[in-house]
Amino acid sequence: MKALSILILGFSLSLLFMQTSFSSEVLRSIPVQNGGRIKPLDTLARESVRLIHGKEKYMKKDSSKTVLTWLLVPETWNQTELIRIDNLELKKALQLDESKKFYSLKTLSINPSIQSLLQNLNTKRKKKVKLGAFDQALQKLESQMMTMRSFQTGDIFSIGPQADTDAWASVNRVDPKTQSHFTNLLTALSRHIGSKESKESLKDLDAAALVLKNHIYEQAKKYGKPVNESKIKAEIFFNKYHMFRYAWICYLLALLLVFGFSQTKKEAFRKGFLGLMGFGFLLHLLGFLLRVYISGRAPVSNMYETVLWVPFGTLIFGALVGKWGKNLFAFVGSCVVAVFCLILSDLAPNILDPSIQPLEAVLRSNYWLLTHVLTITISYSAFFLAFILGDFSLYYHLNENKYRKQILDLNLSIYRSLQIGVLLLAVGTVLGGIWADESWGRFWGWDPKETWAFIALMGYLAILHGRLVGMLKTFGMAASSVVAFSLVIMAWYGVNFWLGAGLHSYGFGSGGVEYVSVFVLVHILYVIFVGLYRKLN
Amino acid sequence: MEIDKLPQKFFKFLASIKLAVIILIGLAAISAVGTFYESLYNADYAKQVVYYSFWMFFFQGLLAINLIAVMIDRLPWKKRHTAFLLAHIGIILMLIGSLQTYLYGIDGVMVFPLGSKNRLIYLPQKEISVFSSFDGNKYTELLRKPVDLFKTFRKSDEGLSFKVESGSDLKIKDYYMFAESRPRITSSESKQDGPALRFLIEGSRAKQSAWLQVNKIRPVETKEFGLAQVTLSLNPPKTKLSTNEIFFYPGEDTEKVNYVLSSKVGQSKGSLQIGDKIQTGWMDFNLRLINYKKHAVEKIEFQEIKYPHALSTEAVLVEFRGKDYWIGVDQPLKVFDEDKVTIISYGKQRYDVGFNIQLKSFEVGRYQGTLKAASYSSVVEVDGKETLISMNNPMMKNGLTFYQSSFQEDESGKPTHSILSVNKDPGRFLKYFGSLVTGLGIILLFYFKKFGRVSSKRRKDEKDDDEETT
C-alpha cells in the first residue's frame, strides 16, 4: 500500500515538472481574437499548428514561437515541408510525391492542378452539394494553406480592440502604438532565436511580450470590453497540462494493477487499482471543469467533448453498479471504457477536433438543450458499460460451468446498466422533443439524430422485454447488450460522421468510418463465435 | 386445435410480449431505413416513403392494440401493476397525441423581406392553382387544388385532369420529384422577341463563353471581362464605345449580326455569322460567334435526377389548351392569348393566419470578429402591438405559435429575410402528458419493487438470476 502511495505521489509530481521548458509564458498569454472568442496566443498557435501539421507542435518547439516565425521569415517557411496531407486521392490529383506526408506551401501554391480543383470545390459549395471524402480533404488543404498565409501576412493576429465594434483589428490595421509593440516583440523574438534561445534574450522577449499584452488589456478595458485574464490563464494551464492524457495513463496503470490482483489476489493491488482510478477520475474531472470554465458551456457540443463525457458517466455508473453487485467487474469495465475513449480523443485530433468552437445560435443558452444532450449522452455511458460487461460475460460463456458465478454477477450488472440507460435515453429523447418544440415548434421531426436515439431506445426496450419472458437468458443478455451497442454507435457517431444529413449538422465531422465499422464488425463476429462455440460444445 | 378457443388464443397473441418485441424491432428497423433515405434523398422524401408510410402506421396501430391487450390481460389490476400500467398508458397517450398532430397540426414557414407585411404561411403540402387576368392588375382564381403528385404518379401514370375553363382542361401529365432546371435559349417564331447570341473569347491567358439576350423590356445587355466588355443591343450604338468593347446589334439578315469593335488600334465595323472569328485587338484575344438567333426566347428545361441537392426542384408537365409545358415549384407559367393572361402555378400550399404581421426590424448577433451568427431576433407588429420574437422566445397568437427559425442574408452578410416557423400542435398536451406518465412508470418499474413487480410466475429456469426483481 505504501509503495502505491509513493507511486501515485511520484506520478503526480512528475506531472508538474515533466513539461517545464524554457519558453516564454508571457508570449503565450497574449490575447488574440479568433474563432469568435478571445483566446491566448498559445491556443491559436497550437490549433493552427495542429490544423496545418497534424500535431500541436512542430519539431517539439513552442507553437507560439513557431507561428510568429511564420510571419518573421515567411520565405523559409514556404520551403519547409510542413503541411500535412493524408488523403491519397488528393495527393494523386495534385500529382504529389505519395510517399511523403508533409508538403511545403510553395510546392502546393505553384501546383498546376490546385486552382482548378479549388474552383470545382467552390462550385460544389455554392450548389450546396454534400462533400465527399476527397472534397473534404481538399477543403481542409485550402484552410491549411489559408491559415498559413494569414500568419505570414499577419492578418490572423487580431490584437487591436476597437471602440465601435466587437471585432478586433488585425495587427496590420491597428493603431501605430500597438503595431510598434508588436514589431518590438518580433525583434526580440528574432534576437532570442538568433542567440540560440539564451536566457537573457528570453528575458527581453518576455518583457516585449508583457508590454504588448498589457497594452491590449488596457485598450480592451478602455473600450469597455475587458479581457478576462483568469480565463486566459486557465486556458494556458489547460493547454499545458493535458489533464485528459494523464487521466488515461492513470486508468491504464490501474488496469495493470487489477490484472495483478486477478493473478495474486493481493489486497494491495485492488486498493491500488481503485486509488489510481480515483486519481485519474479527479484529473478527468479537473479537465472538464476547466473546459467548462473556458468555454462557458456544458462540455457536450461536439464529438470530441462527448467522447470525454461518455466515459466519465460510465465511470460513475460503474461505481454504482459495481457496488450493488459487490463485484469489481463494473469498475474494471468502466475503466476499460475510459482508457479506450480517452486514448481515442487524445490520438485522433484530426477526426475529433479538440478546439473550442463557438456554438450555433440555436444551441445557445437553452436549458432544454443542455439537459437533453447531457441526458442522452450519459445514457450512452450506461450502454457502453453494458457493452463492455457483455464482452466479459461472453468470454466466460466459453466455459459456462466453471464461471457460473461470474456470469451471474455480470448478468445482473448488465441488466442494471441497461435499466439506467433505458431510463435516461427515454427521458433524454423526450427532453429533446421539448427542446425541438421550444426552438422550432415541433416535438418530433424525424431528424436522423433523434430518429437513431429512438431506434436505440426501441432496441434496448426489445431486450428488456425479451428478458422478461425468458427469450434472453445470460448469453442472450450478454450478446444483445454487445450487438445493441451498435445502435448507440450509430446514434452517437454514425449519424454525424456517416449519414451526414439533417438538422443536427452542427457537430458534423468526417473520418474514422472504416475503424468504427471494423470495431462493430469484430464484436458481432465475437458474439457469433461464442454462440457457435456454445452450440458445438 | 379447438375452434372455440381460437379467439382466446388470438387475444393471447395480441397481448403477448413476443408481439411487443416484434413491434419494437419493426419500428426500429423501419425508422432506420428512413434515416438512410433521408441521407440519400431528403427529409421530405423520407417522410413520404417511410415515416408516414402504411407500415409505419400499421406498426404504431399494432403497438396500441398490443398495449391495450396486455393491460386487459392483466385484469384485475393490483398495486404491483401500477408501474406497468403507467408506462404503457403513457405510450398510448403519446400515440394519440402524435396522431392528432399528424391530422390536425399545422407546420408552416413564414418568410418576410425586411420591412414588409405578411399574413400567409407556406405549408409543406403542395397545390396547383390557375389565375387569369385581363388587365394584369386584377386576377380571378379559376382553380386551387391540393395535390400530392408523388402519390398520384406512384399509383399510376395517368395523371390528373382539372376543369378550368369551358372547352379546355388543365392536365397534369408527368412529374419529376427531383429535377434540375436549366434555362435554354431557343429560336422563337414571334417577331416580337429580341435577339440572343453566344460568343467565346479566347486568348493565351483565358477562355470564356457567355450568352447575351435582349428584348423590349431589357434592350441592352453587357458582359464584362476584366478590361473588355461585350454588348448586345436591340439598336445600333448611339454613344461612344469604351476603349475595349464589341457592340452587337441585329441587322436585316437573320443569319448575320452586326458589330462595332473598338480597341486601342481603333474602331472597325462588320457583321458575323455563326462560326466566324475575329481578332479583337485586346492583347491576343479572339472572339468567335458560337450561336445567333434573331428572335429568341428563354425556356426553362427540366432534367430528372436520381438524388436531390440543394438547388434541385420538383417539375410538373402540364397540358393546357393542347400545348405541353414544364413548370417548376413556384415558377408560374404565363400563357398569353389575345385579351388575357392565364397563370398556372405549382407550389406550396398557403395558409392565411388571419391577421397581418409586419416585420419592423431584424437583428443578428454575431460571435465577436466573425460572421457566424450567435443569435437572431425579429421585432414584429401585430394589431399595433410590437413583439420581439427570438430564438426560444416565440410569439403566440390565435392558437398559432411563431418561432424565429432562421434568416437569409446576401453575399455581404447583410440579412435580407427573416424566416419564422409557424405551428399549431393540437397533440402537444397529450404528448407531454404521456411522456410524463411513461417516465414515471419506468422509474417505478425499475426502482420501486412495490409498484413494479411484473409477474410472479416467471422464469423458473433462471431463478438464480437477479432475485431482486422477481
Side-chain angles (χ1 to χ4, degrees), chain A residues 429-460:
Chain A
T429 308
V430 169
L431 290 173
I434 297 177
W435 172 56
D437 201 6
E438 291 260 304
S439 302
W440 296 294
R442 75 192 64 114
F443 185 81
W444 193 263
W446 294 110
D447 170 81
K449 196 86 180 166
E450 68 188 358
T451 305
W452 271 99
F454 169 77
I455 293 166
L457 184 60
M458 294 296 110
Y460 283 104

Coordinates of all heavy atoms in Angstrom, one line a residue, chain A residues 429-460:
Chain A
T429 N -34.7 11.6 -24.7 CA -35.3 11.7 -26.0 C -36.5 12.6 -25.9 O -36.8 13.5 -26.8 CB -35.7 10.3 -26.6 OG1 -34.6 9.5 -26.5 CG2 -36.3 10.4 -28.0
V430 N -37.3 12.4 -24.8 CA -38.4 13.3 -24.6 C -38.0 14.8 -24.4 O -38.5 15.7 -25.0 CB -39.3 12.8 -23.4 CG1 -40.3 13.9 -23.0 CG2 -39.9 11.5 -23.7
L431 N -36.9 14.9 -23.6 CA -36.4 16.3 -23.4 C -35.9 16.9 -24.7 O -36.1 18.1 -25.0 CB -35.2 16.3 -22.4 CG -35.5 15.9 -21.0 CD1 -34.2 15.8 -20.2 CD2 -36.4 17.0 -20.4
G432 N -35.4 16.1 -25.6 CA -35.0 16.5 -26.9 C -36.2 17.0 -27.7 O -36.2 18.0 -28.4
G433 N -37.3 16.3 -27.5 CA -38.6 16.7 -28.1 C -39.0 18.1 -27.6 O -39.4 18.9 -28.3
I434 N -38.9 18.2 -26.3 CA -39.3 19.5 -25.7 C -38.4 20.6 -26.2 O -38.9 21.7 -26.6 CB -39.2 19.4 -24.1 CG1 -40.1 18.4 -23.6 CG2 -39.5 20.8 -23.5 CD1 -40.1 18.2 -22.1
W435 N -37.1 20.3 -26.4 CA -36.2 21.4 -26.9 C -36.6 21.7 -28.3 O -36.7 22.9 -28.7 CB -34.8 20.8 -26.9 CG -33.8 21.8 -27.6 CD1 -33.6 23.1 -27.3 CD2 -33.0 21.4 -28.7 NE1 -32.7 23.6 -28.2 CE2 -32.3 22.6 -29.0 CE3 -32.8 20.3 -29.4 CZ2 -31.4 22.6 -30.1 CZ3 -31.9 20.3 -30.4 CH2 -31.2 21.5 -30.8
A436 N -36.8 20.7 -29.2 CA -37.2 21.0 -30.5 C -38.5 21.8 -30.6 O -38.7 22.7 -31.4 CB -37.4 19.7 -31.3
D437 N -39.4 21.4 -29.7 CA -40.7 22.1 -29.6 C -40.5 23.6 -29.2 O -41.1 24.5 -29.8 CB -41.6 21.4 -28.6 CG -43.0 21.7 -28.7 OD1 -43.4 22.4 -29.7 OD2 -43.9 21.3 -27.9
E438 N -39.6 23.8 -28.3 CA -39.3 25.2 -27.9 C -38.6 26.0 -29.0 O -38.8 27.2 -29.1 CB -38.4 25.2 -26.7 CG -39.0 24.7 -25.4 CD -39.5 25.8 -24.5 OE1 -38.6 26.7 -24.2 OE2 -40.7 25.9 -24.2
S439 N -37.8 25.3 -29.8 CA -37.0 26.0 -30.7 C -37.7 26.2 -32.1 O -37.5 27.2 -32.7 CB -35.6 25.3 -31.0 OG -34.9 25.2 -29.8
W440 N -38.3 25.1 -32.5 CA -38.9 25.2 -33.9 C -40.4 24.9 -33.8 O -41.1 24.9 -34.9 CB -38.3 24.1 -34.7 CG -36.9 24.3 -35.0 CD1 -36.3 25.4 -35.7 CD2 -35.8 23.5 -34.6 NE1 -35.0 25.2 -35.7 CE2 -34.6 24.1 -35.1 CE3 -35.7 22.3 -33.9 CZ2 -33.3 23.6 -34.8 CZ3 -34.4 21.8 -33.7 CH2 -33.3 22.4 -34.1
G441 N -41.0 24.5 -32.7 CA -42.4 24.3 -32.6 C -42.8 22.9 -33.1 O -43.9 22.6 -33.4
R442 N -41.8 22.0 -33.1 CA -42.2 20.6 -33.4 C -41.5 19.6 -32.5 O -40.3 19.7 -32.3 CB -42.0 20.3 -34.9 CG -40.6 20.0 -35.4 CD -40.7 20.0 -36.9 NE -41.0 21.3 -37.5 CZ -40.2 22.0 -38.2 NH1 -39.0 21.7 -38.4 NH2 -40.6 23.2 -38.6
F443 N -42.4 18.8 -31.9 CA -41.9 17.9 -30.9 C -41.1 16.8 -31.5 O -40.0 16.4 -31.0 CB -43.1 17.3 -30.2 CG -42.8 16.4 -29.0 CD1 -42.5 17.0 -27.8 CD2 -42.7 15.0 -29.1 CE1 -42.2 16.2 -26.7 CE2 -42.4 14.2 -28.1 CZ -42.2 14.8 -26.8
W444 N -41.5 16.4 -32.6 CA -40.8 15.3 -33.3 C -40.7 15.5 -34.8 O -41.7 15.8 -35.4 CB -41.5 13.9 -33.0 CG -40.7 12.8 -33.4 CD1 -40.7 12.1 -34.6 CD2 -39.6 12.2 -32.6 NE1 -39.7 11.1 -34.6 CE2 -39.1 11.2 -33.4 CE3 -39.1 12.5 -31.3 CZ2 -38.0 10.4 -32.9 CZ3 -38.1 11.7 -30.9 CH2 -37.6 10.6 -31.6
G445 N -39.5 15.5 -35.4 CA -39.4 15.9 -36.8 C -38.7 14.8 -37.6 O -38.4 15.1 -38.7
W446 N -38.5 13.7 -37.1 CA -37.8 12.6 -37.8 C -36.4 13.0 -38.3 O -36.0 12.7 -39.4 CB -38.6 12.0 -39.0 CG -39.9 11.3 -38.5 CD1 -41.1 11.8 -38.6 CD2 -39.9 10.1 -37.8 NE1 -42.0 10.9 -38.0 CE2 -41.3 9.8 -37.5 CE3 -39.0 9.2 -37.3 CZ2 -41.7 8.7 -36.8 CZ3 -39.4 8.0 -36.6 CH2 -40.8 7.8 -36.4
D447 N -35.8 13.9 -37.6 CA -34.4 14.2 -37.8 C -33.5 13.0 -37.5 O -33.8 12.3 -36.6 CB -34.0 15.4 -36.9 CG -32.6 15.7 -37.0 OD1 -32.1 16.3 -37.9 OD2 -31.8 15.2 -36.1
P448 N -32.5 12.7 -38.3 CA -31.8 11.4 -38.1 C -31.2 11.2 -36.7 O -31.2 10.1 -36.2 CB -30.7 11.5 -39.2 CG -30.8 12.7 -39.9 CD -32.1 13.4 -39.5
K449 N -30.8 12.3 -36.1 CA -30.2 12.2 -34.8 C -31.2 11.7 -33.8 O -31.0 10.8 -33.0 CB -29.6 13.5 -34.3 CG -28.6 13.4 -33.2 CD -27.2 13.1 -33.6 CE -26.2 13.0 -32.4 NZ -25.0 12.4 -32.8
E450 N -32.4 12.3 -33.8 CA -33.4 11.9 -32.9 C -34.0 10.6 -33.3 O -34.3 9.7 -32.4 CB -34.5 13.0 -32.8 CG -35.4 13.2 -34.0 CD -36.3 14.4 -33.9 OE1 -36.3 15.0 -32.8 OE2 -37.0 14.7 -34.8
T451 N -34.0 10.3 -34.6 CA -34.6 9.0 -35.0 C -33.7 7.9 -34.5 O -34.1 6.8 -34.1 CB -34.7 9.0 -36.5 OG1 -35.5 10.1 -37.0 CG2 -35.4 7.7 -37.0
W452 N -32.4 8.1 -34.6 CA -31.5 7.0 -34.1 C -31.5 6.8 -32.6 O -31.3 5.7 -32.1 CB -30.1 7.2 -34.7 CG -29.9 6.5 -36.0 CD1 -30.0 7.1 -37.2 CD2 -29.8 5.1 -36.2 NE1 -29.9 6.1 -38.2 CE2 -29.8 4.9 -37.6 CE3 -29.7 4.0 -35.4 CZ2 -29.7 3.6 -38.2 CZ3 -29.6 2.7 -36.0 CH2 -29.6 2.5 -37.4
A453 N -31.7 7.9 -31.9 CA -31.9 7.8 -30.5 C -33.2 6.9 -30.2 O -33.2 6.0 -29.3 CB -32.0 9.1 -29.8
F454 N -34.2 7.2 -31.0 CA -35.4 6.4 -30.9 C -35.2 4.9 -31.2 O -35.7 4.0 -30.5 CB -36.5 7.1 -31.8 CG -37.7 6.3 -32.0 CD1 -38.7 6.2 -31.1 CD2 -37.9 5.5 -33.2 CE1 -39.9 5.5 -31.3 CE2 -39.1 4.8 -33.4 CZ -40.1 4.8 -32.4
I455 N -34.4 4.7 -32.3 CA -34.2 3.3 -32.7 C -33.4 2.6 -31.6 O -33.7 1.5 -31.2 CB -33.3 3.3 -34.0 CG1 -34.2 3.9 -35.2 CG2 -32.8 1.9 -34.3 CD1 -33.3 4.2 -36.4
A456 N -32.4 3.2 -31.0 CA -31.7 2.6 -29.9 C -32.6 2.3 -28.8 O -32.5 1.2 -28.2 CB -30.5 3.5 -29.5
L457 N -33.5 3.2 -28.5 CA -34.4 3.0 -27.4 C -35.3 1.8 -27.7 O -35.5 1.0 -26.8 CB -35.3 4.3 -27.2 CG -36.3 4.3 -26.0 CD1 -35.5 4.1 -24.7 CD2 -37.1 5.6 -26.0
M458 N -35.8 1.7 -28.9 CA -36.6 0.6 -29.3 C -35.8 -0.7 -29.1 O -36.3 -1.7 -28.6 CB -37.1 0.7 -30.7 CG -38.0 1.8 -31.0 SD -39.6 1.6 -30.2 CE -39.5 3.0 -29.0
G459 N -34.6 -0.7 -29.5 CA -33.7 -1.9 -29.4 C -33.5 -2.3 -28.0 O -33.7 -3.5 -27.7
Y460 N -33.2 -1.4 -27.1 CA -33.0 -1.8 -25.7 C -34.3 -2.2 -25.0 O -34.3 -3.0 -24.2 CB -32.3 -0.6 -25.0 CG -30.8 -0.6 -25.3 CD1 -30.3 0.4 -26.2 CD2 -29.9 -1.5 -24.8 CE1 -28.9 0.4 -26.5 CE2 -28.6 -1.5 -25.1 CZ -28.1 -0.6 -25.9 OH -26.7 -0.6 -26.3

